[in-house]
Amino acid sequence: AQSVTQPDIHITVSEGASLELRCNYSYGATPYLFWYVQSPGQGLQLLLKYFSGDTLVQGIKGFEAEFKRSQSSFNLRKPSVHWSDAAEYFCAVAPGTNAGKSTFGDGTTLTVKP
Amino acid sequence: EAGVAQSPRYKIIEKRQSVAFWCNPISGHATLYWYQQILGQGPKLLIQFQNNGVVDDSQLPKDRFSAERLKGVDSTLKIQPAKLEDSAVYLCASSLASVGGELFFGEGSRLTVL
């Protein structure tokens, strides 16, 4: 069975600063990895996904993530955070390509200081 | 394009009462999912439909939860009788296909059981 760990429950960064959210996964085969964002009172929105190919993937809203198989990690990054990025971020791993069967981490809440 | 619609947005009931949530997926999306998201956790899959058939309900507590998607479009999730631990946000998501399809989430239905 797959699992996901997001070690940071809450992160605070200043507007304009860089951001890295950590994600570690456990899965026996090639993982299908995702990052989602959830604003208060909203559903989840897909930021980016990785299945194969280039280990650095670009997503929406200026986010990117890097897959590192040796470290079982899929960390999310953004070079310059905007106040509107304040939200909760979820990393997820799916067996094969069925995104609906994903196991989600417990999320990281991002606060952006002005 | 209209997104995934869910109702009601909020519901407060007492334990042992019943409740039903409704979901209307994006037009043309054959696959529909219901998730339970407890405060502080990521979503957990309850049930997956492909058109009007159940693909996976292994995580659905069938003694109290039921779900249907009779005409392959709208879906209803019911809880009867509710327990305190059912307090959560119930998210509906849909995708064009179960394999390789991106998930689109509704805003969720928040249930509080007193």
Side-chain angles (χ1 to χ4, degrees):
Chain A
Q2 65 265 27
S3 67
V4 175
T5 301
Q6 294 181 244
D8 304 305
I9 296 174
H10 195 178
I11 283 184
T12 300
V13 299
S14 297
E15 190 168 16
S18 63
L19 171 71
E20 183 169 30
L21 302 182
R22 296 184 291 163
C23 172
N24 294 101
Y25 70 90
S26 173
Y27 185 61
T30 301
Y32 196 18
L33 295 160
F34 307 83
W35 274 100
Y36 292 88
V37 61
Q38 185 177 35
S39 297
Q42 304 295 313
L44 280 72
Q45 181 184 20
L46 180 67
L47 286 174
L48 47 78
K49 63 185 177 185
Y50 171 81
F51 184 58
S52 64
D54 193 349
T55 56
L56 183 64
V57 294
Q58 302 297 319
I60 62 172
K61 304 186 181 188
F63 285 92
E64 67 178 25
E66 186 171 13
F67 170 61
K68 292 185 178 180
R69 183 185 299 275
S70 61
Q71 297 177 19
S72 297
S73 69
F74 188 55
N75 294 348
L76 182 72
R77 300 194 294 249
K78 186 169 184 178
S80 178
V81 169
H82 187 262
W83 64 266
S84 60
D85 293 323
E88 191 159 19
Y89 292 80
F90 292 93
C91 180
V93 60
T97 57
N98 187 342
K101 294 284 185 73
S102 291
T103 296
F104 290 80
D106 286 337
T108 297
T109 299
L110 173 65
T111 297
V112 180
K113 292 191 303 184
Chain B
E1 173 180 88
V4 176
Q6 290 189 245
S7 68
R9 290 294 311 278
Y10 305 92
K11 189 74 175 178
I12 300 173
I13 62 173
E14 297 193 347
K15 59 183 179 183
R16 291 188 288 274
Q17 287 187 323
S18 63
V19 63
F21 302 111
W22 172 83
C23 172
N24 181 236
I26 292 174
S27 177
H29 281 197
T31 311
L32 185 147
Y33 307 85
W34 283 101
Y35 295 87
Q36 181 190 58
Q37 185 178 19
I38 293 172
L39 186 65
Q41 299 180 17
K44 290 182 171 56
L45 180 66
L46 291 174
I47 189 168
Q48 175 188 351
F49 291 94
Q50 183 71 21
N51 296 310
N52 61 349
V54 175
V55 174
D56 182 0
D57 64 356
S58 59
Q59 301 303 308
L60 189 71
K62 298 180 188 62
D63 57 333
R64 298 181 300 104
F65 286 66
S66 64
E68 59 184 14
R69 194 184 183 198
L70 292 176
K71 297 183 179 179
V73 180
D74 294 6
S75 177
T76 302
L77 176 70
K78 296 180 181 178
I79 307 174
Q80 182 180 9
K83 292 185 174 181
L84 296 177
E85 59 261 36
D86 298 332
S87 294
V89 176
Y90 291 87
L91 293 166
C92 178
S94 69
S95 67
L96 268 176
S98 60
V99 176
E102 178 181 340
L103 291 181
F104 292 85
F105 285 84
E107 293 179 331
S109 294
R110 181 179 295 277
L111 173 65
T112 301
V113 182
L114 302 176

